[in-house]
Amino acid sequence: MPSQLTPLRATALMVGAGVGAGIMAVPSLADRVGLPVLVLVLVVAYAAAVFIHLMLVEVVLRTGRPLQIIELMQLWVLDRPSRRPLLWLVFGLLTAAFIAALAAYVAAEAEILSDATGMSLSFSQTLVYVASAGVVFFGLRAVGIFETVGVIALVGCTLALVAGVLGVPATLDLEIDGSALDGLALYGMVMYGYYAFFSVPQVVKGLAPDGRAAARAVAAGLAVNGALIAIVAVVALAVSEPVTEVAIVGVADRLGPWAGAIGAVFVMTALLTTYWAVSLALADIISERMGLGFRPAWLAATLPSLLLLFLGALGFLDWLQLAAGLTAIVIALVTVPMYVNARRRGPVSEPDWSLGRWGARPMLGLAVVATVLMAAGSLLEA
């Protein structure tokens, strides 16, 4: 089959899956510890995130089929009949967590749209759902195209904010401050900015059979996410007095209403790109696990999020979003045994790309430590 993604679109898919509204929370955390600590955290978190994501690339390549995370878990970790109930439990938790995240994205997008246009919230939610889920209806190729457009918009918004900063007095404090726990909280938030784990199988599938291109796209996508996080944080640290919990609020107070409008477009686009990536991954997961065609699986993946909003279950979503974070961390930890088993007995013994010596056990141990620290840092901000 011809490739469904180009390297650029695959990179954009990784960017869209990772970047989110949470990027606006990084500056306030960085303000607690100082710019030098932020730079260190960005570098360390990038190295850890790239390694963990590339482990999954190699697992998919050694499997020889572009399976999603649940089916990979069945093959390489939960392969015994006695473990099947646990597999279904993970599938159920992951589905619920994804649906909660999608509902939160639609709710936030609809609120921005409603504030900007004066439309009723319920109508805005329906409109946002149709626009968001409608892209995913057409599959991986369409998502790749729209993710590319979205990433271009994100970069454009970021450059506009940078240009605005050049016209006002700005200062950056280079002192190190805060506690180790503050640094850990920053690390957890940055790691989530890099986290695009569930889109890795789509990248491998979309670029098949070129495993090297998939690995490059994964690393490049995470690098773009890191650059966006860094630029937004530096802009906020340079001009905001004080740095607000939602960074764009403080930036807009200093630069003017136009910056607030740019920030709203940035957040809206970030939510859209993440919605596309997450709902595509969930549709593929449901399709494989339940044996459904893509379109019925797409409906099962996206429609419940809109129904949750209509039922007014936003308080319930808070708990499910916490479950989403915990589920993501657990699955990242499962990647290590998956990787070890796939490398030992995968049907493709010599894929066209692998971590090679970097996949040795000491590095796997560091990956576990990095994930545990991500969980600890996230809980500090929960």
Side-chain angles (χ1 to χ4, degrees):
M1 292 179 61
S3 297
Q4 294 179 274
L5 295 174
T6 64
L8 177 61
R9 292 172 186 172
T11 300
L13 179 59
M14 289 299 296
V15 175
V19 71
I23 192 174
M24 291 295 173
V26 170
S28 66
L29 296 175
D31 189 47
R32 300 180 192 175
V33 296
L35 184 60
V37 176
L38 171 63
V39 173
L40 177 62
V41 166
L42 283 168
V43 173
V44 171
Y46 175 76
V50 166
F51 183 76
I52 293 168
H53 285 71
L54 290 181
M55 285 169 57
L56 186 57
V57 171
E58 185 172 343
V59 169
V60 177
L61 293 176
R62 288 188 180 275
T63 302
R65 292 179 288 163
L67 298 177
Q68 304 305 305
I69 191 71
I70 297 296
E71 306 312 309
L72 292 173
M73 287 176 63
Q74 178 179 344
L75 276 178
W76 304 121
V77 180
L78 303 177
D79 51 341
R80 298 176 185 175
S82 61
R83 298 175 180 174
R84 295 297 165 80
L86 180 57
L87 182 71
W88 282 101
L89 176 62
V90 173
F91 168 70
L93 289 174
L94 183 64
T95 301
F98 270 28
I99 287 173
L102 294 175
Y105 300 149
V106 172
E109 293 170 51
E111 186 173 349
I112 294 172
L113 182 62
S114 184
D115 290 344
T117 63
M119 291 189 296
S120 68
L121 190 58
S122 59
F123 183 76
S124 295
Q125 289 171 347
T126 304
L127 190 62
V128 165
Y129 168 78
V130 171
S132 302
V135 170
V136 183
F137 176 84
F138 294 100
L140 179 57
R141 187 186 298 272
V143 170
I145 293 171
F146 277 84
E147 291 282 10
T148 304
V149 174
V151 170
I152 292 171
L154 289 172
V155 172
C157 289
T158 305
L159 294 178
L161 290 176
V162 171
V165 170
L166 297 177
V168 300
T171 58
L172 283 171
D173 186 357
L174 299 181
E175 292 185 5
I176 297 176
D177 201 358
S179 66
L181 291 179
D182 290 328
L184 186 59
L186 175 63
Y187 171 81
M189 183 63 72
V190 170
M191 279 292 281
Y192 270 114
Y194 285 127
Y195 198 91
F197 201 67
F198 298 102
S199 290
V200 169
Q202 270 80 21
V203 169
V204 177
K205 176 183 177 180
L207 292 174
D210 193 343
R212 292 178 181 275
R216 288 194 295 267
V218 167
L222 298 184
V224 173
N225 278 351
L228 291 173
I229 294 171
I231 293 171
V232 169
V234 169
V235 167
L237 292 172
V239 303
S240 297
E241 296 177 0
V243 178
T244 52
E245 288 189 8
V246 179
I248 195 61
V249 174
V251 173
D253 287 344
R254 185 69 185 279
L255 299 183
W258 69 268
I262 292 292
V265 173
F266 184 99
V267 172
M268 185 81 168
T269 306
L271 290 167
L272 271 172
T273 56
T274 307
Y275 183 100
W276 294 329
V278 171
S279 58
L280 177 66
L282 179 58
D284 282 343
I285 288 170
I286 292 175
S287 176
E288 289 181 354
R289 182 94 301 246
M290 304 302 295
L292 298 175
F294 177 76
R295 298 289 161 69
W298 162 82
L299 191 63
T302 61
L303 187 58
S305 62
L306 183 63
L307 297 179
L308 278 176
L309 295 180
F310 284 168
L311 293 173
L314 284 177
F316 181 58
L317 288 179
D318 293 336
W319 292 100
L320 285 182
Q321 284 181 279
L322 178 59
L326 295 177
T327 303
I329 290 166
V330 168
I331 289 178
L333 287 171
V334 169
T335 302
V336 172
M338 276 201 311
Y339 178 79
V340 171
N341 291 333
R343 200 168 191 184
R344 182 186 301 134
R345 50 188 174 87
V348 181
S349 58
E350 295 185 5
D352 66 337
W353 181 88
S354 76
L355 283 168
R357 294 180 180 178
W358 288 100
R361 290 188 180 273
M363 293 298 296
L364 300 182
L366 289 176
V368 172
V369 171
T371 306
V372 170
L373 291 176
M374 172 185 173
S378 302
L379 291 174
L380 287 174
E381 285 301 302

